Amino acid sequence: MPSEPQPVSLMGLSRGVRADAARNRAAILEAATSLMADDPDEVSMQAVARRAGVGVGTLYRRFGDRQGLLLAVLDEGERQFQQAFLSGPAPLGPGSGEPVDPAERIRAFIHALLDRTLANLELLLAVERQEGRRTGPHAVWHLHLRALCSALGSARVPDPHYWADLLLAALAPSVVRDQLALGARPQALHDALDVVVVRVLRS
């Protein structure tokens, strides 16, 4: 059975930074988050620099390029999400008391990931267009689901790797976008996902 993964940042390992650099980073991320809320593809590095009150060269030195800035905007939320499902309270996390049914943790994880995708859809779509669906955190999500599926036993989940792929495919940003475009409401997506998860895990 695969072991639980270690947290992975969208930006890789963080480094210590000076206080002024930390303030600049915070201002840049606040500006980028605000500007990219509606249509990230239309936001330039120059616009972010103006809003943050820094030179555009500062952005390129700190984040490399526009894609690096997109990932940085999403990074803090991703860190918090990983902490929640890897070590937080049950049922999303393992909790600190009695062991939690793996099926309940899978269900909680899938719904939490859908909420995160809905809340950050435009940013995640922009990242998906650049990097595809398998960004760094995808490996953490996949290994986490594989570990939980394996814990259910081969009679219930004969191929944990495949079921992890299947569950995550339904939560790809482009899939969520297409369902919303067809008129699905967020609650309807949760309800449909719940039916799939229940059928898979209780078969």
Side-chain angles (χ1 to χ4, degrees):
M1 183 180 87
S3 59
E4 283 281 19
Q6 294 299 309
V8 169
S9 167
L10 282 154
M11 300 297 295
L13 295 176
S14 59
R15 302 174 184 175
V17 294
R18 301 188 318 270
D20 59 338
R23 285 193 297 270
N24 280 345
R25 176 182 171 84
I28 291 167
L29 293 181
E30 182 178 353
T33 300
S34 175
L35 290 169
M36 292 179 177
D38 295 324
D39 190 353
D41 289 330
E42 297 299 319
V43 178
S44 68
M45 295 286 271
Q46 290 79 5
V48 174
R50 284 195 300 271
R51 175 70 67 88
V54 301
V56 70
T58 299
L59 266 70
Y60 283 103
R61 285 192 298 273
R62 188 70 179 92
F63 302 102
D65 56 19
R66 191 173 168 282
Q67 182 66 7
L69 181 58
L70 278 173
L71 294 176
V73 169
L74 287 166
D75 193 51
E76 183 59 31
E78 179 59 33
R79 290 172 185 267
Q80 293 173 5
F81 179 52
Q82 290 182 22
Q83 183 178 18
F85 71 73
L86 292 174
S87 59
L92 180 57
S96 57
E98 293 296 318
V100 185
D101 180 0
E104 287 303 310
R105 289 194 65 196
I106 291 171
R107 184 181 181 193
F109 173 82
I110 291 299
H111 284 291
L113 183 55
L114 176 56
D115 281 335
R116 174 162 167 72
T117 301
L118 288 166
N120 299 279
L121 186 56
E122 293 303 323
L123 284 171
L124 290 168
L125 284 167
V127 171
E128 184 181 86
R129 283 190 287 271
Q130 292 293 320
E131 299 201 352
R133 294 180 180 178
R134 295 183 182 273
T135 57
H138 184 280
V140 179
W141 306 338
H142 195 277
L143 187 54
H144 177 62
L145 283 176
R146 281 162 50 200
L148 293 175
C149 286
S150 295
L152 292 172
S154 59
R156 293 174 72 181
V157 185
D159 189 342
H161 195 288
Y162 172 75
W163 286 115
D165 270 341
L166 184 66
L167 292 169
L168 289 176
L171 293 165
S174 55
V175 173
V176 173
R177 174 204 60 201
D178 291 347
Q179 290 301 309
L180 293 174
L182 290 171
R185 301 286 186 181
Q187 186 56 52
L189 296 181
H190 277 289
D191 292 343
L193 194 58
D194 216 30
V195 170
V196 172
V197 172
V198 168
R199 286 181 179 177
V200 167
L201 300 179
R202 294 183 180 174
S203 60

